[in-house]
Amino acid sequence: MALSADSMRCGEFRTTYKADTTIFPTPMSRNFAIAGVVLLLLAPLVLSSYQLNLLIQIGYYGIAALGLNILVGFSGQISLGHGAFFGFGAFASAWLYNTTGIPVILCIPLAGVLTTAVGMIVGIPAMRIKGLYLAIATLAAQFILEDFFSRAAWFTGGSAGAMAEPLSLFGYTFMSDERYFYIVLAFVVVMYLLGANLLRSRDGRAFVAVRDHYLSAEIMGINLSKYRVLAFGVASFYAGVGGALFAHYLSFVSAEGFTIVLSIQFLGMIIIGGLGSVMGTLMGTAFMVLLPEVMEWSSGAVSVVFPGFSQGLSYLREMAIGLAIVLFLIFEPDGLAHRWKLIKAYWKLYPFSY
């Protein structure tokens, strides 16, 4: 009995570049992603407002963190001012609605566009400098924007902050966690699909080439200045959209929430999740959002035995985040995404897991 070549295959075969760069490497991974989105659509029916609040935080922080991962993980540049871009997007969306009356659903992407313009201006030094010097330049941008937030009362409300209108669509206001969760989920799905497709495109491959060896990339005809500034623009757009979602969720924006600490937390998210991994970005964001909650739950259990332990909870939270970043850098520098790949490979080849 003759067997065709297709019937004898027993693995994953990719014969074209398009197949090699697909978003979902296997049909099973695609089906799991679709099933995950369907389960999330049902989440408001079974989860409490507190649990939905955590998922919403993972959503808008995850969007902003993906932008930073595109900049750091895929183009090889560093930014210590991502928290300020996140804040600029929050203020920009509130300002757009308060001054023009544009519907909030349009203010969110427009805030991303305005933040892109600011990010590309900040990214101009990337045309000439890199490494530690670029980190110092972006750190300066962080403090410049912080000062701008506190002084530009026409844009941010100054020290009083700014009100952000709740999102309304077709006369339906998304004020509760159960309703706003669907808005954030929709933006997460769209922004992550856009990010994954960007990295499959010519521009995405150019980012990786600039990261891996900029001299070789330049010899191949890649415009280093263009793609370095473009990477800052893309990262800022994602930060702006995430910040706008944050603003309209809280309905109030204050300059105190966008300090250098937030920028460090964004770096922690992509380091823990995995530099250069789209899926790892969301994993790292979930880890950073849930870690303080786990610490609070653990300290509550320990305080039953040691009553004075709960008094140092706030310090333990900050210590836990810093310690987690250090431990991941030492023991798992490729992040949670790499660990997840190892786990999948282990069970895929079990019992021959070598």
Side-chain angles (χ1 to χ4, degrees):
M1 178 179 178
L3 297 175
S4 65
D6 290 337
S7 64
M8 296 178 65
R9 290 181 177 180
C10 57
E12 296 177 16
F13 291 85
R14 300 183 179 92
T15 57
T16 64
Y17 186 79
K18 180 179 179 181
D20 192 52
T21 58
T22 183
I23 295 177
F24 302 106
T26 63
M28 181 174 291
S29 64
R30 181 193 62 222
N31 295 336
F32 268 110
I34 295 173
V37 173
V38 171
L39 289 176
L40 287 173
L41 289 172
L42 301 176
L45 303 177
V46 296
L47 299 181
S48 65
S49 295
Y50 171 73
Q51 293 167 331
L52 288 174
N53 172 266
L54 294 177
L55 291 178
I56 291 171
Q57 289 185 56
I58 293 171
Y60 55 67
Y61 282 137
I63 290 173
L66 178 58
L68 184 61
N69 210 347
I70 291 174
L71 176 67
V72 179
F74 287 95
S75 70
Q77 300 180 91
I78 186 67
S79 174
L80 296 177
H82 203 66
F85 297 136
F86 183 84
F88 189 91
F91 283 116
S93 188
W95 176 79
L96 281 169
Y97 179 84
N98 293 333
T99 56
T100 65
I102 297 174
V104 173
I105 194 66
L106 297 179
C107 288
I108 294 174
L110 287 176
V113 174
L114 290 178
T115 312
T116 299
V118 175
M120 294 184 77
I121 293 173
V122 172
I124 290 176
M127 299 168 61
R128 301 295 299 272
I129 60 177
K130 59 181 181 177
L132 177 62
Y133 299 101
L134 181 59
I136 297 300
T138 57
L139 180 62
Q142 166 75 37
F143 291 116
I144 290 171
L145 286 175
E146 282 187 37
D147 187 68
F148 173 76
F149 294 156
S150 63
R151 296 178 183 273
W154 60 271
F155 183 72
T156 66
S159 58
M163 300 299 298
E165 184 73 12
L167 190 148
S168 297
L169 194 61
F170 304 116
Y172 195 74
T173 304
F174 294 82
M175 290 189 65
S176 65
D177 291 338
E178 291 78 5
R179 296 178 182 181
Y180 199 76
F181 171 79
Y182 289 114
I183 297 296
V184 174
L185 178 61
F187 272 94
V188 168
V189 172
V190 170
M191 297 299 285
Y192 268 73
L193 286 176
L194 287 176
N197 276 294
L198 170 66
L199 299 172
R200 298 167 60 219
S201 67
R202 183 182 185 277
D203 293 332
R205 296 194 296 272
F207 286 157
V208 176
V210 172
R211 176 198 68 188
D212 290 343
H213 203 291
Y214 70 94
L215 289 178
S216 299
E218 191 171 23
I219 291 171
M220 293 167 59
I222 294 174
N223 188 325
L224 297 184
S225 299
K226 169 188 173 181
Y227 284 103
R228 283 172 174 168
V229 176
L230 181 61
F232 269 93
V234 172
S236 301
F237 177 77
Y238 275 78
V241 171
L245 289 170
F246 166 81
H248 295 291
Y249 175 58
L250 296 184
S251 299
F252 178 77
V253 195
S254 176
E256 289 77 11
F258 310 112
T259 63
I260 184 63
V261 175
L262 181 60
S263 295
I264 298 300
Q265 288 177 347
F266 277 127
L267 281 173
M269 291 173 189
I270 63 173
I271 290 171
I272 291 173
L275 293 174
S277 171
V278 175
M279 180 187 68
T281 303
L282 205 54
M283 296 171 69
T285 305
F287 184 94
M288 291 289 284
V289 171
L290 297 178
L291 180 60
E293 307 302 321
V294 173
M295 289 297 299
E296 183 174 1
W297 177 83
S298 302
S299 64
V302 174
S303 63
V304 175
V305 182
F306 303 100
F309 185 79
S310 59
Q311 297 178 0
L313 175 61
S314 59
Y315 302 103
L316 289 174
R317 285 182 177 179
E318 300 300 329
M319 289 172 59
I321 292 174
L323 182 62
I325 295 174
V326 172
L327 291 178
F328 268 92
L329 287 172
I330 295 174
F331 298 106
E332 193 60 84
D334 293 327
L336 293 172
H338 176 69
R339 180 54 51 184
W340 175 242
K341 289 179 181 178
L342 294 179
I343 293 172
K344 287 196 301 181
Y346 177 87
W347 289 106
K348 185 176 181 179
L349 300 175
Y350 185 83
F352 308 105
S353 55
Y354 52 84

